[in-house]
């Protein structure tokens, strides 16, 4: 087959992979629309948008044109002491799109780092205001906020991927999502008891992604935001997965009419073409860093910060949200996911079905042979990659209903096949 594959696999270290036992990765050579082409000529319909980034599908001509133009003009330049049009315009545009006075944009290159920056902002906000003891972060069960050390400490301690490192991470405070009156009271008690030590609460608004695709309603998010305000704690919304239409609104916070103090964006920010992330702060957060004292400044600055190619790509992606009916497409996907995944509930070994926007997640019960599931989907011509107890679909928003029907049919088929093997 490909002359690069076997020699390369002898040197690559793959993500989240037990490399002694996992099935070999599939060699992909091209992409177009919602399809991935493999080296052997087969094409897979993509059901998960390359870790939830490729909302316009692949190789969209408008994005390609933007990247090519920027590549010819200014591919990269350092961002200290210099500024460029793609970053300036993108910051202006994001500030206009985000709710309330979320208006200061700090660019980084990955979601985890954008969360690290949000944490730094939150801790230093209180330090700059003379309350340095406010440095703990409250996070929620089933949450996921990244793979770096500070963000690992905010992931679900039992179901998260990072239990191995417990003890080497800062000690943060876990809460249950306050989606019942009892849990709401318990959440308020945590904030009331520890408010002098708490800098911020961090939440994935409406849908918790990599921690198991758990969903909560806008009222729960509003409760969190109101409790934060009452107890003088900042609210960080990690919209890295939910941002840019995935839940049916451009931002999940919008649906709940919540304006967090800090928002993290990444994944679909560039429509899946180049890495970029942004941490966006409200006016009062930024204001706390203004001082005659150099030590009050935010000391952070990734080498590839605000990469012009990535910023130009994000612009092109935002153009597509304006020009093409993305949110209508998400609504249509939601309706189809609800209808076509509903029969999964009756399949033995299915514990729950959750749908929100362009996200459909089936939670499994019983023994799970993840590698077997992962091998089976490509045999059916689809790219679906379950994790933990979850088989999910998060297709590109441009997917046609026939292709989406093939994805949902594959989920039903594979779960039915698995049911016959369950004791
Ligand atoms: C993916 C994700 C992250 C981490 O982003 P990376 O770019 O992988 O570092 C953080 N938070 C949420 C909610 C995510 O979905």
């Amino acid at each position: 087959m490909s002359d690069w594959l076997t020699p390369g696999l002898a040197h690559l270290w793959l993500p989240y992979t037990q490399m002694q036992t996992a099935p070999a990765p599939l060699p992909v050579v091209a992409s177009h629309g919602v399809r991935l082409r493999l080296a052997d000529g087969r094409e897979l319909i993509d059901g998960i948008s390359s870790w939830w980034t490729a909302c316009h599908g692949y190789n969209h001509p408008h994005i390609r044109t933007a990247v090519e133009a920027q590549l010819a003009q200014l591919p990269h330049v350092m961002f200290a002491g210099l500024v460029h049009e793609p970053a300036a315009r993108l910051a202006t545009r994001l500030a206009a799109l985000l709710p309330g006075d979320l208006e200061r944009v700090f660019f980084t290159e990955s979601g985890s780092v954008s969360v690290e920056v949000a944490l730094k902002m939150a801790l230093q906000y209180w330090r700059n205001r003379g309350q340095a003891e406010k440095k703990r972060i409250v996070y929620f069960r089933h949450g996921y906020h990244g793979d770096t050390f500070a963000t690992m400490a905010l992931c679900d301690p039992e179901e998260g991927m990072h239990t191995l490192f417990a003890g080497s991470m800062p000690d943060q405070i876990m809460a249950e999502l306050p989606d019942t009156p009892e849990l709401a009271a318990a959440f308020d008690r945590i904030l009331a008891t520890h408010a002098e030590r708490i800098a911020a609460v961090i939440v994935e608004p409406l849908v918790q992604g990599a921690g198991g695709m758990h969903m909560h309603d806008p009222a729960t998010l509003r409760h969190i935001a109101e409790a934060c305000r009452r107890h003088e704690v900042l609210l960080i919304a990690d919209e890295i997965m939910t941002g840019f239409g995935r839940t049916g609104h451009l931002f999940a916070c919008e649906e709940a009419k919540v304006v967090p103090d800090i928002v993290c964006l990444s994944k679909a920010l560039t429509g899946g073409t180049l890495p970029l992330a942004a941490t966006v702060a409200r006016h009062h957060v930024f204001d706390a860093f203004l001082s005659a004292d150099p030590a009050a400044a935010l000391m952070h600055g990734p080498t590839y910060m605000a990469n012009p190619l990535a910023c130009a790509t994000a612009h092109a992606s935002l153009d597509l949200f304006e020009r093409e009916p993305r949110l209508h497409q998400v609504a249509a996907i939601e309706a189809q996911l609800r209808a076509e995944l509903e029969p999964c509930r009756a399949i033995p070994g299915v514990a729950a079905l959750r749908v929100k926007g362009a996200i459909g997640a089936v939670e499994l019960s019983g023994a799970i042979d993840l590698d077997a599931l992962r091998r089976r989907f490509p045999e059916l011509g689809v790219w679906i990659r379950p994790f933990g107890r979850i088989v999910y679909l998060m297709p590109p928003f441009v997917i046609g209903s026939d292709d989406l029907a093939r994805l949902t049919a594959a989920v039903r088929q594979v779960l039915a096949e698995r049911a016959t093997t369950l004791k």
Side-chain angles (χ1 to χ4, degrees):
M1 222 179 1
S2 314
D3 64 353
W4 47 266
L5 186 58
T6 304
L9 283 177
H11 295 284
L12 288 168
W13 198 328
L14 303 172
Y16 307 123
T17 300
Q18 174 42 262
M19 295 195 54
Q20 182 166 311
T21 54
L26 303 175
V28 55
V29 295
S31 57
H32 64 99
V34 301
R35 285 178 163 67
L36 302 174
R37 191 183 325 135
L38 303 182
D40 63 8
R42 274 186 301 155
E43 291 206 337
L44 305 181
I45 301 172
D46 187 352
I48 55 177
S49 307
S50 281
W51 271 336
W52 326 337
T53 62
C55 54
H56 315 291
Y58 298 93
N59 309 42
H60 195 292
H62 182 63
I63 290 185
R64 178 175 165 173
T65 305
V67 174
E68 285 173 352
Q70 190 60 44
L71 186 61
Q73 180 81 24
L74 176 70
H76 183 67
V77 70
M78 66 184 285
F79 204 61
L82 299 170
V83 69
H84 49 78
E85 183 174 347
R89 285 198 188 280
L90 182 58
T92 308
R93 202 165 176 184
L94 289 173
L97 286 173
L98 284 161
D101 61 348
L102 282 158
E103 62 182 31
R104 276 294 163 169
V105 184
F106 192 96
F107 288 113
T108 55
E109 345 78 323
S110 80
S112 300
V113 174
S114 76
V115 176
E116 296 263 349
V117 169
L119 299 178
K120 245 188 199 182
M121 284 177 182
L123 268 62
Q124 199 177 346
Y125 171 86
W126 293 111
R127 169 172 284 279
N128 285 355
R129 293 166 48 119
Q131 291 180 265
E133 64 292 346
K134 280 171 81 73
K135 55 187 178 194
R136 292 296 175 87
I137 307 293
V138 175
Y139 65 98
F140 294 104
R141 186 183 298 284
H142 302 307
Y144 173 82
H145 297 287
D147 290 353
T148 58
F149 270 85
T151 60
M152 282 197 291
L154 307 172
C155 295
D156 188 294
E158 283 132 45
E159 294 175 23
M161 297 173 272
H162 308 312
T163 41
L164 217 58
F165 297 102
S168 354
M169 298 181 289
D171 193 16
Q172 308 291 20
I173 302 168
M174 191 187 76
E176 306 290 335
L177 266 169
D179 54 7
T180 66
E182 296 74 44
L183 293 175
F187 178 66
D188 287 14
R189 269 198 306 280
I190 290 178
L191 293 197
T193 313
H194 303 289
E196 297 94 81
R197 301 193 295 130
I198 298 175
V201 170
I202 186 165
V203 66
E204 296 160 270
L206 304 190
V207 184
Q208 295 174 296
M213 301 290 172
H214 292 270
M215 301 179 182
H216 55 272
D217 58 25
T220 302
L221 186 59
R222 268 197 299 278
H223 181 86
I224 294 169
E226 281 156 17
C228 286
R229 196 165 45 244
R230 268 201 312 282
H231 295 288
E232 296 197 24
V233 164
L234 296 179
L235 177 61
I236 302 171
D238 179 348
E239 291 237 21
I240 291 169
M241 186 275 271
T242 53
F244 304 102
R246 185 53 70 177
T247 64
H249 287 69
L250 196 57
F251 302 105
C253 284
E254 256 177 40
E255 183 178 346
K257 304 204 163 37
V258 160
V259 183
D261 298 288
I262 302 172
V263 171
C264 299
L265 304 171
S266 186
K267 293 211 162 85
L269 172 57
T270 67
T273 301
L274 281 158
L276 184 68
T279 310
V280 189
R282 289 184 60 188
H283 180 82
H284 76 102
V285 174
F286 177 73
D287 210 38
F289 289 75
L290 298 181
S291 159
D293 179 6
L298 181 65
M299 299 307 282
H300 204 94
T303 306
Y304 279 93
M305 177 170 186
N307 172 257
L309 276 174
C311 290
T313 311
H315 269 292
S317 176
L318 292 177
D319 292 343
L320 293 174
F321 275 96
E322 286 174 5
R323 293 177 194 178
E324 299 184 5
R326 288 290 174 270
L327 296 183
H328 289 106
Q329 292 168 321
V330 172
I333 291 170
E334 174 167 346
Q336 194 175 343
L337 287 174
R338 280 189 196 285
E340 294 178 358
L341 291 178
E342 187 59 31
C344 292
R345 288 190 202 271
I347 300 174
V350 169
L353 167 67
R354 296 187 280 272
V355 175
K356 169 95 184 154
I359 306 168
V362 182
E363 183 172 322
L364 307 182
S365 57
I368 296 170
D369 185 344
L370 210 49
D371 285 342
L373 294 175
R374 288 174 172 178
R375 267 194 206 96
R376 184 68 181 126
F377 280 111
E379 291 172 1
L380 301 176
V382 296
W383 181 236
I384 296 173
R385 188 173 160 85
F387 67 89
R389 314 194 70 80
I390 306 292
V391 177
Y392 73 97
L393 296 176
M394 287 175 63
F397 302 159
V398 297
I399 193 165
S401 60
D402 290 357
D403 283 339
L404 185 53
R406 284 191 56 193
L407 293 174
T408 56
V411 171
R412 293 193 307 267
Q413 178 179 339
V414 170
L415 295 187
E417 288 171 3
R418 169 176 177 264
T420 65
T421 70
L422 290 174
K423 282 180 218 62

